Amino acid sequence: MADTPNTVSLTIDGHEVTVPKGTTLLEAAKTIGEDVPHYCYHPGLSAPAMCRLCLVEVEGAPKPMPSCVTTAADGQVVHTQSDLALSRRRGVLEFYLVNHPLDCPICDQSGECKLQDYVHQEGRDHGRSREPKRVFGRDDFGGDVLFYGDRCVMCTRCVRFMTEMEQDSRLTVVERGNRSVIDTFFEEGLEGTNWSGNIVDICPVGALVSKDFLHKARAWDLEHTPSICPSCSQGCNISLHTRDNLVQRLKPRENMEVNGWWMCDHGRANYEWMNHGQRLEAPLVRTEDAVRAMGWKEAVGALLDRAETTSGSVKAVVSPFASNEDLAAVRSLVDALGGGSMVYRMARADAEVPMDGFPILARRRDLAPNGRGAEIMGASRVGDDDGVGGLDDVAGHDGVVIVLGDPLVDQDASFGQSASLFAYLGMHGSPATGAADFSLPITNFAEQEGTFTNHEGRVQRFWPGLRGPGAAQPAWFVLGAFQAARSGDPAPRSAADAFAALAASEPALAGMTYDDLGARGAVLNETVSVPGG
Amino acid sequence: MAYPYVSDREVRVLSKNFGDPSARRLDTYVERGGYSALKKAFELGPDGVVDVVKASGLRGRGGAGFPTGVKWSFMPKDSNKPHYLLCNADESEPGTFKDRELIRWDPHQLIEGVLIGAYAIRAEHAYIYCRGEFFETTQVLARALEEAYEKGYVGKDIQGSGVDIDITVHLGAGAYICGEETGLMNSLEGQRGQPRIKPPFPAAVGAFGMPSTINNVETLAAIPHIVAHGGEWYRQWGTEKSPGTKLFCVSGHVNKPGNYELPLGFPLMDLIEDVCGGMRDGKALKAVIPGGSSVPILNAAECAACSLDYEGVVEAGSMLGCASVIVMDENTDIVKQVRRMVQFYAHESCGQCTPCREGTAWMTKILQRIEDGRGTEDDLQTLLDMGVQMTGTTICVLSDSAAAPVESSILKFKDEYLALIRRGERVGAA
């Protein structure tokens, strides 16, 4: 590989490595798949080089060097696995265990604990300490954070996160030597902060744990599914951690273009609704004498029959929680039934909550993941900042009324009673859906595959972490089957098919493919004028 | 003069005013030739001063022994940032008590040295960081500084030279680690007193993020004499590689403990037997810690041939450090002494680096257990292993310092450890 002035070439564990100037040895080692053990270093924070666990041997250096702050230099020969490097790291790991309580059986971090991992990876088989252990006990830090002082490895990531990222120095190290302990300044602790949940994520051990998740599940029982946080239009990349078909917690997933390693406390805590038990589980169709549960084939057949005989313009209410594919399916249904209007409602916060240390990240005012997507599909926003109202002309409409996802909580039983056809595709019934001719159960975002478009026009994929209830299906699937039956064209068989059809028909998404989006997303075509942009 | 003890073998250059309270007054100091070196320094110019100090071969008296003139020459010459001179008066190494005496008997000697040093590195502001416990000492210094400001020796346009140098005296809060140069800078800035990672070195990024030089009190106190008389003059004492005089703080089981200013290269046994009047109560010598508690212990045999200069002490198996000579007689319980020292380091560890934070405390517990007669022979190997893991693995050398007496005492006085372990008894304990 030809060197340019902006790179340096060095040898790590016998491999020639070329990295940009200024790269640390720890990051350079990652390029050959070597993850040098470390605690205090976190790529998003300053590096105090104090845990001393990332020591490696650099030929010519008088002593082992901390790889997290030693920058790669031309011609350097680095050994991460030499006797010297391994022996010093084994020494540091032994020191960690002198006072660590080894309460793994009751520790939430167990299974995803870096102390467990590293000691198993390269620590001693047996500890030699025979001395009584130091005891700090537990402390409620406020917010969702509980502190187990005895488990702490004193890496100070949490202190630096609060100082450098949230920029609200609520934590500090008090005392010194091995009496050092993380503490809060005042009684309120972390109460009232907006991002402190992240310190639980970056704590490499079980010292900082989530009260919400406390003793709820073992790490090895959780399935991790890449997803997008639905709580605002930032579109933070997250993982759904699920067990027994229930979301147990949400964790941020790294994406430097969107959220770095972080997510806000509001989004992190807002997941119980995904586990909501009261759901529509079977298509409900109003026949002459009663509302009857049907299979999908029969229900779609009934809808086809009704569609032949209905009259009047179409008014659709969609949800900014619906995927791009679902919204596109509603739009083509509206078009197929003779055209009409699409509106959506979305709660909006008074102000953004920025993360000062990572300026592209904020909890946005729009409290839904896909308002931008709804705008692109031609829907316009109605209602107030609480996400209610604005449906007066829909409620009494005498043509076709289609509702996707919006549970109509502010409407009463008269909603849609004058409609020639009222189709409700949703997760929950409500008094206002009582008049629906068709109540069709659909999945929520956690139960299906799809894409959201965030506030800056980044289209991002999410994957299903839960099984939908009963017969619930994604809206694109249901409406796709309906359209296929009407037109004779093939129905979309996957979310990828649905997205491909959308990319083919919507200029803003032209050229995007599902595969290209991958787990990182892609930005809308900027040359195209985007509604709502 | 009756300053606690004096010896006719001393060469009293820096300590000539010890015991004479009148020397604290500016007019006495000036009468005796004080502040004339400052005037000469202004004539030599900053680079001229650095050259004189380089020629003298003066080495840092804080413990590391780095050549002072060379250190000064690391300061950037063409930066547009403010430079700072920091005077380390945090004297906290157990066994050391020379800086305190230099400040309280001869504060103007230090102030003049600080002014010359600041001038040489093109600093317009110098800080004297005093150990938190030095309350009375700091008052003496602050009074002298006030007088120097009044008489125009410090501040704007010093003595009509056009040179501006301010000096601030800062009292620490009493932490050993704030005597480490970068820990001192953090403390001075109002941060936690924790050493910083080097690089960057202080000459590039020091106090307040600016180029800084930090010198020990004794180093700066020697500067006026060197500038006044020249580099060659200073070399009349000491050895080729360790020129000049040095204050030796002798404590422990000798008849006349105290501060003695001697030429470097002075024989250790002469210091004990002659200068300090021999061992107390005629007891036999067991061990000496020659450079403050951070350096390896010497046994009696090693002491015999030891000459007190930077190279000589290394040859004997230890380090000169800050020349704090702790003398122990035959009745000394080595295990207890070592445990006491390590306990000090465990108490003073700042807690950043794992090997130091955990290692010092763990070592203390093991040593305490051995002392209490509950040790095992495996403990000695564990302690030696820990010593290896604590040396060269941390940001500063506190960890190395704690390991040094443990390792050296186990190697040199293993019998005492084994006796405690096997019989649960202390050797030599009265």
Side-chain angles (χ1 to χ4, degrees), chain A residues 470-493:
Chain A
Q473 292 289 349
W476 60 261
F477 184 83
V478 174
L479 297 179
F482 172 78
Q483 295 279 48
R486 267 173 70 94
S487 65
D489 294 337
R493 295 157 69 94

Side-chain angles (χ1 to χ4, degrees), chain B residues 181-224:
Chain B
E181 57 182 17
T182 53
L184 186 151
M185 289 171 195
N186 271 347
S187 171
L188 186 66
E189 291 175 19
Q191 314 285 331
R192 263 177 85 85
Q194 293 181 327
R196 301 174 182 173
I197 315 158
K198 290 183 271 188
F201 291 95
V205 182
F208 309 102
M210 300 301 159
S212 307
T213 291
I214 181 159
N215 292 122
N216 177 254
V217 168
E218 190 184 352
T219 313
L220 290 169
I223 295 295

Side-chain angles (χ1 to χ4, degrees), chain A residues 73-410:
Chain A
D74 261 322
Q76 232 169 12
V77 182
V78 179
H79 303 284
T80 70
Q81 304 296 320
S82 65
D83 288 348
L84 177 73
L86 283 170
S87 137
R88 291 303 176 272
R89 296 208 298 268
R90 193 176 304 124
V92 174
L93 286 168
E94 185 178 20
F95 287 132
Y96 276 120
L97 294 180
V98 171
N99 282 303
H100 190 86
L102 295 171
D103 59 345
C104 310
I106 56 156
C107 176
D108 271 346
Q109 191 80 3
S110 193
E112 52 187 9
C113 170
K114 287 295 182 189
L115 189 56
Q116 282 180 334
D117 291 353
Y118 293 149
V119 171
H120 282 291
Q121 187 176 314
E122 50 187 53
R124 292 175 59 88
D125 293 342
H126 302 281
R128 288 181 291 184
S129 173
R130 303 169 49 201
E131 322 308 323
K133 298 196 180 204
R134 176 201 60 200
V135 175
F136 284 131
R138 238 165 53 153
D139 194 3
D140 183 347
F141 274 4
D144 184 43
V145 182
L146 201 55
F147 175 62
Y148 285 77
D150 304 319
R151 298 174 185 162
C152 179
V153 292
M154 203 38 73
C155 69
T156 72
R157 281 185 185 181
C158 52
V159 176
R160 284 175 285 133
F161 175 86
M162 293 307 294
T163 304
E164 296 167 12
M165 289 293 130
E166 176 138 21
Q167 299 188 3
D168 183 358
S169 297
R170 298 287 187 106
L171 297 177
T172 190
V173 179
V174 297
E175 261 291 356
R176 67 181 185 214
N178 93 327
R179 303 166 316 284
S180 301
V181 64
I182 308 292
D183 208 347
T184 53
F185 285 95
F186 307 107
E187 275 305 301
E188 81 260 25
L190 295 168
E191 209 62 59
T193 56
N194 295 302
W195 303 91
S196 59
N198 292 292
I199 67 176
V200 173
D201 302 337
I202 60 177
C203 180
V205 294
L208 296 169
V209 297
S210 158
K211 292 180 202 168
D212 178 69
F213 185 70
L214 193 67
H215 304 324
K216 219 159 89 171
R218 304 312 320 232
W220 52 84
D221 287 334
L222 295 172
E223 305 266 1
H224 298 188
T225 306
S227 187
I228 301 298
C229 177
S231 291
C232 84
S233 61
Q234 174 74 26
C236 286
N237 289 212
I238 61 166
S239 285
L240 308 174
H241 287 197
T242 54
R243 194 197 65 184
D244 301 338
N245 206 36
L246 296 170
V247 176
Q248 305 289 339
R249 64 178 178 186
L250 304 182
K251 286 280 189 185
R253 180 167 58 90
E254 180 191 334
N255 187 338
M256 294 313 293
E257 308 292 327
V258 183
N259 57 311
W261 301 265
W262 324 116
M263 72 185 292
C264 75
D265 297 348
H266 168 79
R268 187 186 296 268
N270 186 21
Y271 66 86
E272 281 293 343
W273 63 269
M274 301 170 202
N275 298 333
H276 200 305
Q278 296 286 318
R279 292 279 295 268
L280 288 178
E281 296 201 5
L284 300 175
V285 179
R286 185 179 303 282
T287 57
E288 274 171 25
D289 48 349
V291 173
R292 229 161 38 82
M294 293 180 179
W296 275 113
K297 201 167 184 181
E298 197 184 350
V300 169
L303 186 57
L304 276 168
D305 292 345
R306 277 296 296 270
E308 296 301 320
T309 60
T310 51
S311 59
S313 65
V314 184
K315 284 188 188 293
V317 180
V318 295
S319 162
F321 286 83
S323 73
N324 288 325
E325 296 74 19
D326 294 346
L327 293 164
V330 172
R331 183 174 70 178
S332 51
L333 177 66
V334 171
D335 292 346
L337 294 178
S341 65
M342 275 169 74
V343 297
Y344 70 100
R345 308 189 294 175
M346 180 162 61
R348 183 169 280 182
D350 293 338
E352 286 194 349
V353 181
M355 184 197 251
D356 293 334
F358 197 81
I360 62 170
L361 174 58
R363 181 190 154 199
R364 302 291 165 184
R365 289 189 62 200
D366 289 341
L367 301 180
N370 206 22
R372 186 76 184 270
E375 294 278 348
I376 292 168
M377 299 310 152
S380 37
R381 184 168 181 261
V382 296
D384 60 19
D385 282 354
D386 291 325
V388 294
L391 295 185
D392 293 350
D393 61 330
V394 184
H397 182 54
D398 58 6
V400 178
V401 171
I402 299 167
V403 176
L404 171 73
D406 189 320
L408 305 172
V409 285
D410 60 321

Side-chain angles (χ1 to χ4, degrees), chain B residues 237-261:
Chain B
W237 303 289
T239 66
E240 173 62 29
K241 288 183 174 168
S242 303
T245 63
K246 174 88 191 76
L247 283 163
F248 288 86
C249 313
V250 187
S251 59
H253 306 142
V254 291
N255 280 316
K256 295 193 284 182
N259 270 305
Y260 298 98
E261 186 171 0

